[in-house]
Amino acid sequence: MSTTSLTYIGLGSNLDDPIRQVRQAISALALLPLSQLTATSSLYASRPVGPQDQPDFVNAVVSLTTLLSPLALLDQLQALEQQHRRQRLRHWGPRTLDLDLLLFDQQTISYPRLNVPHPRMHERAFVLAPLAELDATLTLRQQPVSEWLNQIPEPGIQRLVEDGPA
């Protein structure tokens, strides 16, 4: 008998109307098979990680309960990226949509194509801020997400409201 798992998924876009891309992806995540969208963070603007010769990103995090296995969920996320015309032209380059499986219950998963918890999420304010917004009690590596966020010297993120920055 399958059990329901609580997952957190990071979303990001910096091409082709990023706010629309992220909102459409959230709507699509709500329709994933054997899954239910349970919460959505605010949208955040953030500077790119890696090459700086690209537009800023729009980011968010959602929580999802699912009966899918980690790899089946990853397949669904990658299919959704492809529907948004995701191209992997350079590492940390611009993209229409990036979906990262951040957490899958409290599991530690290590496959050639999937590592959970996401290996660098504790270093990234654009993941930690929306994650803390959804559940301030979450811990990563025995430390609350809010403490990880406070350790980032220049977070470089800004919460967005409907008509612009908050």
Side-chain angles (χ1 to χ4, degrees):
M1 182 169 171
S2 297
T3 59
T4 301
S5 297
L6 177 61
T7 68
Y8 290 89
I9 298 164
L11 300 90
S13 174
N14 71 340
L15 295 177
D16 194 18
D17 193 353
I19 290 174
R20 180 181 55 81
Q21 294 282 355
V22 169
R23 286 187 176 143
Q24 285 180 344
I26 291 168
S27 295
L29 289 169
L31 301 174
L32 286 182
L34 303 173
S35 304
Q36 182 175 351
L37 186 70
T38 55
T40 303
S41 75
S42 301
L43 302 183
Y44 290 80
S46 66
R47 294 189 302 261
V49 169
Q52 297 296 300
D53 63 340
Q54 59 182 313
D56 286 352
F57 276 81
V58 172
N59 298 97
V61 171
V62 300
S63 61
L64 188 78
T65 57
T66 187
L67 292 170
L68 297 171
S69 70
L71 288 176
L73 180 56
L74 178 64
D75 288 342
Q76 293 287 325
L77 298 180
Q78 290 178 339
L80 185 54
E81 287 177 340
Q82 291 309 305
Q83 290 170 16
H84 283 253
R85 300 176 320 283
R86 164 85 188 255
Q87 294 183 354
R88 299 174 192 269
L89 301 177
R90 69 175 171 169
H91 189 59
W92 288 335
R95 60 204 75 160
T96 52
L97 183 62
D98 185 31
L99 298 173
D100 289 322
L101 181 51
L102 303 172
L103 297 167
F104 195 95
D105 283 333
Q106 297 298 315
Q107 295 182 39
T108 299
I109 300 165
S110 182
Y111 295 126
R113 54 187 283 245
L114 177 65
N115 288 295
V116 176
H118 190 282
R120 290 171 301 282
M121 64 187 279
H122 66 285
E123 303 168 352
R124 297 181 172 166
F126 63 84
V127 172
L128 296 171
L131 197 57
E133 182 184 325
L134 293 184
D135 186 349
T137 67
L138 270 177
T139 59
L140 305 171
R141 301 179 181 195
Q142 291 81 44
Q143 185 171 301
V145 293
S146 57
E147 287 183 27
W148 285 112
L149 183 58
N150 290 335
Q151 292 174 20
I152 297 176
E154 276 188 59
I157 62 166
Q158 186 173 24
R159 191 170 68 83
L160 300 174
V161 294
E162 287 297 315
D163 297 324

